[in-house]
Amino acid sequence: IRMSNAGAAVGAVRLSLTSPVGTATATTCTSAQLPKLGSIPANGELAINSADLTTCFGAFTRGDVRVTVPALSDNLTAKLRIVNPGNVVTEQSLGAISDGVATIN
């Protein structure tokens, strides 16, 4: 999951895991467990990979991950990138914030 920020820094991202398959060790994750969740830097990005999700939630097999950003910003976009074992990359736009309203794909 990649969140890009074209504006001022946005802080304190939280991850939530619902409907996990396998043994999840937690269902919420903050910067206390994963320091990079402390902010999405100004004109930067926050990239969350499978190793980060394992750090947050343990060795679960599958589940739904919700990313919560504490403040609306007209400058945020989110994408999901999947790299399969054959190194084929698939990217899906998850949405953006425009004029304070979420645009969800």
Side-chain angles (χ1 to χ4, degrees):
I1 301 168
R2 182 173 59 97
M3 298 190 70
S4 296
N5 181 10
V10 175
V13 175
R14 186 180 77 227
L15 304 178
S16 303
L17 177 66
T18 59
S19 305
V21 174
T23 305
T25 57
T27 56
T28 61
C29 186
T30 65
S31 61
Q33 295 83 22
L34 189 63
K36 69 166 64 176
L37 296 178
S39 72
I40 305 173
N43 300 310
E45 68 179 19
L46 170 63
I48 301 165
N49 61 34
S50 57
D52 295 331
L53 295 176
T54 299
T55 296
C56 286
F57 306 118
F60 72 101
T61 306
R62 185 176 58 246
D64 299 321
V65 176
R66 175 178 287 178
V67 180
T68 303
V69 180
L72 291 178
S73 169
D74 291 347
N75 300 304
L76 292 177
T77 60
K79 294 187 178 207
L80 173 67
R81 178 174 284 172
I82 299 170
V83 181
N84 74 17
N87 288 323
V88 175
V89 177
T90 304
E91 188 169 274
Q92 171 73 43
S93 178
L94 300 175
I97 302 293
S98 177
D99 296 324
V101 177
T103 305
I104 301 171
N105 293 339

